[in-house]
Amino acid sequence: MSSSPAPFPLTSVLGLAPVVPVVVVKDLADAVPLARALVAGGLPVIEVTLRTPVALDAVRAVADGVPGAVVGVGTVLSPGQVSDALDAGARFLVSPGWTDVLLEAMRVSGLPFLPGVSTASEVVALLERGVREMKFFPAEAAGGTAYLKSLSGPLPQARFCPTGGIGPANAPEYLALPNVGCVGGSWMLPADAVAARDWPRVETLARQAAGLSAGGTCR
């Protein structure tokens, strides 16, 4: 059991930081130092994807061992994974898409969640179900900033965390949109830096990402 104080209640992922690092943990030993580097760099909201066998253990390790981290689980595809994420100490859930069954499981969990969308019809369907915060994925392939800008007129209630093909060059363009609360990406976690366990470099890249806002200026 963790001796850390109970985390503050979380009602939304959007707006806590301009960038949400999307993390694939291959070696469990990397989870805590990697997360500490991200938090120290100003990116406390961390999405650990369910793409490796150690992902849930990594979430547990970060939840217990990294004060200030708001760790969630991404690539959630089933109600069983929702339950596993909750048991591991996840603070939020992210899925690349959604079904009514998955949506209900995420809602029942009590955690904030971002179901993935890539079309206007999916956005309307979620709004109909009372969901206003969504992941726009795969952002660049699905139309990028032009598509999101087009959605903001008829569907101003919807807000997004675009993910997929986003880096430091185009992140400010997304963050400038009124319907974007944050963006997701992994550019602050280059493979060579993680392989070398160069956590100071990760922290520096995280700090640069944390300073991004519309127009590329610091918030």
Short mmCIF file of all heavy atoms in Angstrom, two decimals, residues 155-215:
data_model
loop_
_atom_site.label_atom_id
_atom_site.label_comp_id
_atom_site.label_asym_id
_atom_site.label_seq_id
_atom_site.Cartn_x
_atom_site.Cartn_y
_atom_site.Cartn_z
N LEU A 155 -20.07 22.69 -33.68
CA LEU A 155 -20.01 21.86 -32.47
C LEU A 155 -19.10 22.50 -31.41
O LEU A 155 -18.11 21.92 -30.98
CB LEU A 155 -19.48 20.47 -32.83
CG LEU A 155 -20.30 19.69 -33.86
CD1 LEU A 155 -19.56 18.45 -34.31
CD2 LEU A 155 -21.68 19.34 -33.31
N PRO A 156 -19.44 23.73 -30.98
CA PRO A 156 -18.56 24.44 -30.04
C PRO A 156 -18.52 23.80 -28.66
O PRO A 156 -17.62 24.11 -27.87
CB PRO A 156 -19.18 25.84 -29.98
CG PRO A 156 -20.63 25.62 -30.28
CD PRO A 156 -20.65 24.52 -31.29
N GLN A 157 -19.48 22.92 -28.36
CA GLN A 157 -19.51 22.29 -27.02
C GLN A 157 -18.37 21.30 -26.85
O GLN A 157 -17.95 21.02 -25.72
CB GLN A 157 -20.83 21.54 -26.80
CG GLN A 157 -22.08 22.27 -27.24
CD GLN A 157 -22.50 21.87 -28.65
OE1 GLN A 157 -21.71 21.92 -29.57
NE2 GLN A 157 -23.76 21.47 -28.77
N ALA A 158 -17.88 20.74 -27.95
CA ALA A 158 -16.87 19.68 -27.87
C ALA A 158 -15.48 20.27 -27.71
O ALA A 158 -15.11 21.25 -28.38
CB ALA A 158 -16.93 18.82 -29.13
N ARG A 159 -14.70 19.66 -26.82
CA ARG A 159 -13.30 20.06 -26.64
C ARG A 159 -12.42 18.83 -26.79
O ARG A 159 -12.83 17.71 -26.47
CB ARG A 159 -13.09 20.71 -25.27
CG ARG A 159 -13.89 21.98 -25.09
CD ARG A 159 -13.55 22.66 -23.77
NE ARG A 159 -12.21 23.22 -23.78
CZ ARG A 159 -11.31 23.04 -22.81
NH1 ARG A 159 -11.60 22.29 -21.76
NH2 ARG A 159 -10.12 23.60 -22.87
N PHE A 160 -11.19 19.06 -27.28
CA PHE A 160 -10.38 17.94 -27.72
C PHE A 160 -8.96 17.97 -27.17
O PHE A 160 -8.40 19.03 -26.87
CB PHE A 160 -10.29 17.94 -29.25
CG PHE A 160 -11.61 17.87 -29.94
CD1 PHE A 160 -12.26 19.03 -30.36
CD2 PHE A 160 -12.23 16.65 -30.17
CE1 PHE A 160 -13.49 18.97 -31.00
CE2 PHE A 160 -13.46 16.58 -30.80
CZ PHE A 160 -14.09 17.74 -31.22
N CYS A 161 -8.39 16.76 -27.09
CA CYS A 161 -6.96 16.56 -26.92
C CYS A 161 -6.49 15.84 -28.19
O CYS A 161 -6.62 14.61 -28.28
CB CYS A 161 -6.66 15.73 -25.69
SG CYS A 161 -4.90 15.29 -25.53
N PRO A 162 -6.00 16.57 -29.18
CA PRO A 162 -5.52 15.93 -30.40
C PRO A 162 -4.23 15.15 -30.14
O PRO A 162 -3.33 15.62 -29.43
CB PRO A 162 -5.27 17.10 -31.35
CG PRO A 162 -5.93 18.29 -30.72
CD PRO A 162 -5.92 18.03 -29.27
N THR A 163 -4.14 13.97 -30.73
CA THR A 163 -2.96 13.12 -30.60
C THR A 163 -2.75 12.39 -31.92
O THR A 163 -3.71 11.96 -32.55
CB THR A 163 -3.15 12.08 -29.48
OG1 THR A 163 -3.49 12.74 -28.27
CG2 THR A 163 -1.90 11.27 -29.26
N GLY A 164 -1.47 12.27 -32.30
CA GLY A 164 -1.15 11.55 -33.52
C GLY A 164 -0.53 12.47 -34.55
O GLY A 164 -1.23 13.26 -35.18
N GLY A 165 0.79 12.40 -34.66
CA GLY A 165 1.49 13.24 -35.62
C GLY A 165 1.77 14.64 -35.13
O GLY A 165 2.09 15.52 -35.93
N ILE A 166 1.68 14.86 -33.82
CA ILE A 166 1.90 16.20 -33.27
C ILE A 166 3.28 16.28 -32.63
O ILE A 166 3.71 15.36 -31.93
CB ILE A 166 0.81 16.54 -32.24
CG1 ILE A 166 -0.56 16.55 -32.92
CG2 ILE A 166 1.08 17.89 -31.58
CD1 ILE A 166 -1.72 16.81 -31.99
N GLY A 167 3.97 17.37 -32.91
CA GLY A 167 5.30 17.62 -32.37
C GLY A 167 5.46 19.09 -32.03
O GLY A 167 4.50 19.87 -32.13
N PRO A 168 6.66 19.51 -31.67
CA PRO A 168 6.86 20.89 -31.26
C PRO A 168 6.59 21.90 -32.36
O PRO A 168 6.25 23.05 -32.08
CB PRO A 168 8.32 20.93 -30.81
CG PRO A 168 8.96 19.75 -31.47
CD PRO A 168 7.90 18.71 -31.56
N ALA A 169 6.72 21.49 -33.62
CA ALA A 169 6.52 22.43 -34.72
C ALA A 169 5.05 22.78 -34.93
O ALA A 169 4.71 23.93 -35.23
CB ALA A 169 7.11 21.86 -36.01
N ASN A 170 4.16 21.78 -34.79
CA ASN A 170 2.75 22.06 -35.07
C ASN A 170 1.87 22.12 -33.82
O ASN A 170 0.71 22.51 -33.90
CB ASN A 170 2.18 21.03 -36.06
CG ASN A 170 2.24 19.60 -35.55
OD1 ASN A 170 2.75 19.34 -34.47
ND2 ASN A 170 1.73 18.66 -36.35
N ALA A 171 2.42 21.77 -32.66
CA ALA A 171 1.61 21.83 -31.43
C ALA A 171 1.01 23.21 -31.17
O ALA A 171 -0.17 23.31 -30.81
CB ALA A 171 2.44 21.37 -30.23
N PRO A 172 1.77 24.31 -31.37
CA PRO A 172 1.17 25.63 -31.12
C PRO A 172 -0.05 25.92 -32.00
O PRO A 172 -0.97 26.62 -31.57
CB PRO A 172 2.32 26.60 -31.42
CG PRO A 172 3.55 25.81 -31.16
CD PRO A 172 3.22 24.43 -31.64
N GLU A 173 -0.06 25.37 -33.23
CA GLU A 173 -1.21 25.59 -34.11
C GLU A 173 -2.46 24.93 -33.54
O GLU A 173 -3.56 25.48 -33.63
CB GLU A 173 -0.91 25.03 -35.50
CG GLU A 173 0.27 25.69 -36.20
CD GLU A 173 0.63 24.98 -37.49
OE1 GLU A 173 -0.22 24.22 -38.01
OE2 GLU A 173 1.76 25.17 -37.98
N TYR A 174 -2.30 23.75 -32.97
CA TYR A 174 -3.43 23.08 -32.33
C TYR A 174 -3.86 23.83 -31.08
O TYR A 174 -5.05 24.04 -30.84
CB TYR A 174 -3.05 21.65 -31.96
CG TYR A 174 -3.07 20.68 -33.11
CD1 TYR A 174 -1.92 20.43 -33.85
CD2 TYR A 174 -4.23 19.99 -33.46
CE1 TYR A 174 -1.93 19.53 -34.92
CE2 TYR A 174 -4.26 19.09 -34.51
CZ TYR A 174 -3.09 18.86 -35.24
OH TYR A 174 -3.12 17.97 -36.29
N LEU A 175 -2.89 24.23 -30.26
CA LEU A 175 -3.21 24.90 -29.00
C LEU A 175 -3.87 26.26 -29.20
O LEU A 175 -4.50 26.79 -28.28
CB LEU A 175 -1.94 25.04 -28.16
CG LEU A 175 -1.35 23.72 -27.64
CD1 LEU A 175 0.05 23.95 -27.07
CD2 LEU A 175 -2.26 23.09 -26.61
N ALA A 176 -3.73 26.82 -30.40
CA ALA A 176 -4.36 28.11 -30.70
C ALA A 176 -5.86 27.98 -30.96
O ALA A 176 -6.58 28.98 -30.92
CB ALA A 176 -3.69 28.74 -31.92
N LEU A 177 -6.33 26.75 -31.18
CA LEU A 177 -7.75 26.55 -31.50
C LEU A 177 -8.60 26.62 -30.24
O LEU A 177 -8.21 26.11 -29.19
CB LEU A 177 -7.94 25.20 -32.18
CG LEU A 177 -7.21 25.00 -33.51
CD1 LEU A 177 -7.41 23.58 -34.02
CD2 LEU A 177 -7.69 26.02 -34.54
N PRO A 178 -9.78 27.24 -30.32
CA PRO A 178 -10.62 27.41 -29.12
C PRO A 178 -11.17 26.09 -28.58
O PRO A 178 -11.55 26.04 -27.41
CB PRO A 178 -11.74 28.32 -29.61
CG PRO A 178 -11.81 28.10 -31.09
CD PRO A 178 -10.39 27.87 -31.51
N ASN A 179 -11.23 25.05 -29.41
CA ASN A 179 -11.79 23.78 -28.96
C ASN A 179 -10.72 22.75 -28.58
O ASN A 179 -11.01 21.57 -28.44
CB ASN A 179 -12.74 23.20 -30.01
CG ASN A 179 -12.10 23.04 -31.39
OD1 ASN A 179 -10.98 23.50 -31.62
ND2 ASN A 179 -12.80 22.40 -32.30
N VAL A 180 -9.48 23.21 -28.43
CA VAL A 180 -8.39 22.32 -28.02
C VAL A 180 -7.93 22.69 -26.61
O VAL A 180 -7.56 23.84 -26.36
CB VAL A 180 -7.21 22.39 -29.01
CG1 VAL A 180 -5.97 21.69 -28.45
CG2 VAL A 180 -7.61 21.78 -30.34
N GLY A 181 -7.98 21.70 -25.70
CA GLY A 181 -7.55 21.95 -24.32
C GLY A 181 -6.11 21.59 -24.07
O GLY A 181 -5.46 22.15 -23.19
N CYS A 182 -5.59 20.63 -24.83
CA CYS A 182 -4.21 20.20 -24.72
C CYS A 182 -3.92 19.30 -25.92
O CYS A 182 -4.84 18.97 -26.68
CB CYS A 182 -3.94 19.44 -23.42
SG CYS A 182 -4.95 17.95 -23.21
N VAL A 183 -2.68 18.92 -26.10
CA VAL A 183 -2.32 17.98 -27.15
C VAL A 183 -1.55 16.82 -26.52
O VAL A 183 -0.96 16.96 -25.44
CB VAL A 183 -1.46 18.63 -28.27
CG1 VAL A 183 -2.21 19.77 -28.94
CG2 VAL A 183 -0.12 19.12 -27.72
N GLY A 184 -1.55 15.69 -27.19
CA GLY A 184 -0.78 14.54 -26.73
C GLY A 184 0.34 14.25 -27.69
O GLY A 184 0.20 14.44 -28.90
N GLY A 185 1.47 13.79 -27.15
CA GLY A 185 2.60 13.47 -28.01
C GLY A 185 3.71 12.80 -27.24
O GLY A 185 3.66 12.70 -26.01
N SER A 186 4.72 12.37 -27.96
CA SER A 186 5.83 11.65 -27.32
C SER A 186 7.19 12.21 -27.72
O SER A 186 8.20 11.57 -27.47
CB SER A 186 5.75 10.16 -27.66
OG SER A 186 5.75 9.96 -29.06
N TRP A 187 7.20 13.40 -28.33
CA TRP A 187 8.47 13.93 -28.82
C TRP A 187 9.45 14.27 -27.71
O TRP A 187 10.65 14.35 -27.94
CB TRP A 187 8.24 15.13 -29.72
CG TRP A 187 7.81 16.38 -29.01
CD1 TRP A 187 8.61 17.33 -28.44
CD2 TRP A 187 6.46 16.83 -28.80
NE1 TRP A 187 7.85 18.33 -27.89
CE2 TRP A 187 6.53 18.06 -28.09
CE3 TRP A 187 5.20 16.32 -29.15
CZ2 TRP A 187 5.39 18.77 -27.73
CZ3 TRP A 187 4.08 17.03 -28.79
CH2 TRP A 187 4.16 18.24 -28.08
N MET A 188 8.96 14.47 -26.49
CA MET A 188 9.86 14.76 -25.37
C MET A 188 10.48 13.48 -24.81
O MET A 188 11.23 13.52 -23.82
CB MET A 188 9.12 15.54 -24.28
CG MET A 188 8.09 14.77 -23.49
SD MET A 188 6.65 14.18 -24.44
CE MET A 188 5.97 15.71 -25.05
N LEU A 189 10.17 12.35 -25.44
CA LEU A 189 10.69 11.05 -25.01
C LEU A 189 11.36 10.34 -26.19
O LEU A 189 10.94 9.24 -26.59
CB LEU A 189 9.56 10.17 -24.47
CG LEU A 189 8.86 10.70 -23.22
CD1 LEU A 189 7.53 9.99 -23.02
CD2 LEU A 189 9.75 10.52 -22.00
N PRO A 190 12.40 10.94 -26.78
CA PRO A 190 13.06 10.29 -27.92
C PRO A 190 13.63 8.93 -27.52
O PRO A 190 14.12 8.76 -26.38
CB PRO A 190 14.16 11.27 -28.30
CG PRO A 190 14.36 12.15 -27.12
CD PRO A 190 13.04 12.21 -26.42
N ALA A 191 13.55 7.99 -28.43
CA ALA A 191 13.94 6.61 -28.12
C ALA A 191 15.38 6.51 -27.62
O ALA A 191 15.67 5.74 -26.69
CB ALA A 191 13.75 5.73 -29.35
N ASP A 192 16.28 7.30 -28.21
CA ASP A 192 17.68 7.20 -27.79
C ASP A 192 17.88 7.72 -26.37
O ASP A 192 18.69 7.17 -25.61
CB ASP A 192 18.60 7.91 -28.78
CG ASP A 192 18.28 9.39 -28.94
OD1 ASP A 192 17.15 9.80 -28.64
OD2 ASP A 192 19.17 10.14 -29.38
N ALA A 193 17.14 8.75 -26.00
CA ALA A 193 17.26 9.29 -24.64
C ALA A 193 16.73 8.30 -23.61
O ALA A 193 17.33 8.10 -22.55
CB ALA A 193 16.52 10.62 -24.52
N VAL A 194 15.61 7.66 -23.92
CA VAL A 194 15.04 6.67 -23.00
C VAL A 194 15.95 5.46 -22.90
O VAL A 194 16.21 4.94 -21.80
CB VAL A 194 13.63 6.26 -23.45
CG1 VAL A 194 13.09 5.14 -22.56
CG2 VAL A 194 12.67 7.46 -23.41
N ALA A 195 16.48 5.01 -24.03
CA ALA A 195 17.38 3.85 -24.02
C ALA A 195 18.63 4.12 -23.19
O ALA A 195 19.14 3.24 -22.50
CB ALA A 195 17.76 3.47 -25.45
N ALA A 196 19.12 5.36 -23.26
CA ALA A 196 20.32 5.74 -22.51
C ALA A 196 20.00 6.17 -21.08
O ALA A 196 20.90 6.49 -20.31
CB ALA A 196 21.06 6.86 -23.23
N ARG A 197 18.71 6.19 -20.75
CA ARG A 197 18.24 6.70 -19.45
C ARG A 197 18.78 8.11 -19.19
O ARG A 197 19.22 8.43 -18.09
CB ARG A 197 18.62 5.74 -18.33
CG ARG A 197 17.91 4.39 -18.43
CD ARG A 197 18.20 3.49 -17.24
NE ARG A 197 17.23 2.38 -17.19
CZ ARG A 197 17.44 1.19 -17.73
NH1 ARG A 197 18.56 0.96 -18.40
NH2 ARG A 197 16.53 0.24 -17.65
N ASP A 198 18.71 8.92 -20.24
CA ASP A 198 19.16 10.31 -20.16
C ASP A 198 18.00 11.16 -19.66
O ASP A 198 17.38 11.91 -20.42
CB ASP A 198 19.65 10.78 -21.53
CG ASP A 198 20.30 12.15 -21.49
OD1 ASP A 198 20.24 12.80 -20.42
OD2 ASP A 198 20.86 12.57 -22.52
N TRP A 199 17.68 11.03 -18.38
CA TRP A 199 16.53 11.73 -17.82
C TRP A 199 16.70 13.25 -17.79
O TRP A 199 15.69 13.96 -17.95
CB TRP A 199 16.21 11.18 -16.43
CG TRP A 199 16.10 9.68 -16.41
CD1 TRP A 199 16.73 8.81 -15.56
CD2 TRP A 199 15.32 8.84 -17.29
NE1 TRP A 199 16.41 7.50 -15.85
CE2 TRP A 199 15.55 7.49 -16.91
CE3 TRP A 199 14.47 9.10 -18.36
CZ2 TRP A 199 14.95 6.42 -17.55
CZ3 TRP A 199 13.87 8.03 -19.01
CH2 TRP A 199 14.10 6.72 -18.61
N PRO A 200 17.91 13.80 -17.64
CA PRO A 200 18.03 15.26 -17.75
C PRO A 200 17.61 15.78 -19.13
O PRO A 200 17.01 16.86 -19.23
CB PRO A 200 19.52 15.50 -17.49
CG PRO A 200 19.94 14.38 -16.60
CD PRO A 200 19.16 13.20 -17.11
N ARG A 201 17.91 15.02 -20.18
CA ARG A 201 17.48 15.44 -21.51
C ARG A 201 15.96 15.39 -21.62
O ARG A 201 15.33 16.30 -22.19
CB ARG A 201 18.11 14.55 -22.58
CG ARG A 201 17.74 14.95 -24.01
CD ARG A 201 18.36 14.02 -25.02
NE ARG A 201 17.86 14.25 -26.35
CZ ARG A 201 17.95 13.38 -27.36
NH1 ARG A 201 18.55 12.20 -27.15
NH2 ARG A 201 17.44 13.66 -28.55
N VAL A 202 15.35 14.34 -21.07
CA VAL A 202 13.89 14.25 -21.08
C VAL A 202 13.28 15.42 -20.33
O VAL A 202 12.30 16.03 -20.77
CB VAL A 202 13.44 12.91 -20.46
CG1 VAL A 202 11.93 12.89 -20.24
CG2 VAL A 202 13.84 11.74 -21.36
N GLU A 203 13.86 15.77 -19.19
CA GLU A 203 13.35 16.90 -18.42
C GLU A 203 13.45 18.20 -19.22
O GLU A 203 12.52 19.02 -19.20
CB GLU A 203 14.12 17.03 -17.11
CG GLU A 203 13.64 18.19 -16.24
CD GLU A 203 14.38 18.31 -14.93
OE1 GLU A 203 15.01 17.33 -14.50
OE2 GLU A 203 14.35 19.42 -14.34
N THR A 204 14.56 18.40 -19.92
CA THR A 204 14.73 19.61 -20.72
C THR A 204 13.68 19.67 -21.83
O THR A 204 13.06 20.73 -22.06
CB THR A 204 16.14 19.65 -21.34
OG1 THR A 204 17.10 19.74 -20.29
CG2 THR A 204 16.29 20.84 -22.27
N LEU A 205 13.46 18.56 -22.52
CA LEU A 205 12.46 18.52 -23.59
C LEU A 205 11.06 18.71 -23.03
O LEU A 205 10.22 19.37 -23.65
CB LEU A 205 12.56 17.21 -24.35
CG LEU A 205 13.84 17.02 -25.17
CD1 LEU A 205 13.93 15.59 -25.71
CD2 LEU A 205 13.89 18.02 -26.33
N ALA A 206 10.81 18.17 -21.84
CA ALA A 206 9.50 18.35 -21.21
C ALA A 206 9.28 19.82 -20.85
O ALA A 206 8.18 20.36 -21.04
CB ALA A 206 9.40 17.49 -19.95
N ARG A 207 10.32 20.47 -20.36
CA ARG A 207 10.20 21.89 -20.00
C ARG A 207 9.89 22.74 -21.24
O ARG A 207 9.09 23.68 -21.18
CB ARG A 207 11.47 22.37 -19.32
CG ARG A 207 11.39 23.79 -18.79
CD ARG A 207 12.55 24.15 -17.89
NE ARG A 207 12.50 23.41 -16.62
CZ ARG A 207 13.31 22.41 -16.31
NH1 ARG A 207 14.25 22.03 -17.14
NH2 ARG A 207 13.18 21.80 -15.14
N GLN A 208 10.53 22.40 -22.34
CA GLN A 208 10.25 23.12 -23.59
C GLN A 208 8.80 22.89 -24.02
O GLN A 208 8.11 23.83 -24.44
CB GLN A 208 11.21 22.67 -24.68
CG GLN A 208 12.65 23.07 -24.43
CD GLN A 208 13.61 22.41 -25.39
OE1 GLN A 208 13.23 21.57 -26.22
NE2 GLN A 208 14.90 22.77 -25.29
N ALA A 209 8.34 21.65 -23.91
CA ALA A 209 6.95 21.35 -24.28
C ALA A 209 5.96 22.05 -23.36
O ALA A 209 4.92 22.54 -23.80
CB ALA A 209 6.72 19.84 -24.25
N ALA A 210 6.28 22.12 -22.08
CA ALA A 210 5.40 22.76 -21.11
C ALA A 210 5.24 24.25 -21.39
O ALA A 210 4.26 24.87 -20.98
CB ALA A 210 5.91 22.55 -19.70
N GLY A 211 6.22 24.83 -22.08
CA GLY A 211 6.17 26.25 -22.39
C GLY A 211 5.42 26.59 -23.66
O GLY A 211 5.26 27.75 -23.99
N LEU A 212 4.97 25.55 -24.38
CA LEU A 212 4.27 25.80 -25.63
C LEU A 212 2.87 26.33 -25.40
O LEU A 212 2.18 25.93 -24.48
CB LEU A 212 4.17 24.50 -26.45
CG LEU A 212 5.45 23.94 -27.03
CD1 LEU A 212 5.17 22.60 -27.71
CD2 LEU A 212 6.07 24.91 -28.03
N SER A 213 2.48 27.24 -26.26
CA SER A 213 1.10 27.72 -26.29
C SER A 213 0.86 28.26 -27.68
O SER A 213 1.70 28.13 -28.57
CB SER A 213 0.85 28.79 -25.23
OG SER A 213 1.62 29.94 -25.50
N ALA A 214 -0.28 28.85 -27.89
CA ALA A 214 -0.61 29.39 -29.21
C ALA A 214 0.46 30.33 -29.69
O ALA A 214 0.91 31.22 -28.96
CB ALA A 214 -1.96 30.10 -29.16
N GLY A 215 0.93 30.14 -30.90
CA GLY A 215 1.95 30.99 -31.47
C GLY A 215 3.36 30.62 -31.07
O GLY A 215 4.32 31.27 -31.46
#
